[in-house]
Amino acid sequence: MHTNASLIRDFHKTLSRFYAGGDIEAVRVMLTDDVVWHVPGRSAIAGDHVGKDDVLDYFHQRRKLGRGDFKVNVHDVLANDERAVLFAGGQAERGGRRIQWETVGIFGIENGKIGECWLLPFDQYAFDEIWS
């Protein structure tokens, strides 16, 4: 497995522990200082999150909106020396019903850390519903 594929898999394991109530510091060390996270749509989490503190605030917002029930399931990761592509699904409960979605994440990798992410939901409307 390419080292950048391992990085993205480890990142999502670490992020899942944070979403379940764990500490954010293990996530922080996996990001460059000038990391940028691009989230499309019109939901509460949409926008370009720039810099480590802003991106970590975005993760905190997802944890808050996910109400401890939000999960990401990594399906596969493809990687080379500069990028990684993540295929993942998510699920959360809203109003007594389980909502699921699928996404692709495209990551820019710099010196063994995540420098940028473009999140691409398969169904933007469902994704916006989750995070509104």
Side-chain angles (χ1 to χ4, degrees):
M1 181 182 301
H2 194 283
T3 56
N4 286 338
S6 295
L7 170 67
I8 298 304
R9 286 183 181 279
D10 291 345
F11 171 75
H12 275 83
K13 287 177 189 172
T14 303
L15 195 58
S16 289
R17 285 192 293 272
F18 167 71
Y19 288 146
D23 185 45
I24 193 73
E25 291 309 308
V27 174
R28 178 185 296 275
V29 300
M30 301 176 97
L31 306 173
T32 63
D33 289 338
D34 59 349
V35 63
V36 179
W37 219 268
H38 306 278
V39 182
R42 297 175 183 248
S43 71
I45 63 168
D48 291 333
H49 307 279
V50 180
K52 196 180 281 191
D53 289 338
D54 195 28
V55 170
L56 294 173
D57 286 345
Y58 156 75
F59 295 144
H60 278 285
Q61 183 71 2
R62 283 181 74 167
R63 181 166 85 172
K64 178 182 169 188
L65 291 171
R67 297 174 185 89
D69 186 47
F70 162 56
K71 293 181 178 48
V72 173
N73 304 306
V74 174
H75 302 312
D76 203 0
V77 181
L78 306 173
N80 63 25
D81 292 341
E82 298 174 358
R83 297 192 200 334
V85 178
L86 166 75
F87 299 90
Q91 60 184 356
E93 188 171 315
R94 286 288 180 271
R97 69 183 177 112
R98 171 92 31 219
I99 300 174
Q100 298 180 333
W101 64 94
E102 296 291 323
T103 61
V104 171
I106 302 168
F107 294 84
I109 311 294
E110 301 171 16
N111 299 317
K113 293 187 176 189
I114 298 168
E116 194 158 16
C117 177
W118 295 265
L119 188 60
L120 305 167
F122 289 12
D123 182 338
Q124 187 65 59
Y125 295 117
F127 191 80
D128 281 347
E129 181 183 351
I130 288 290
W131 302 112
S132 294

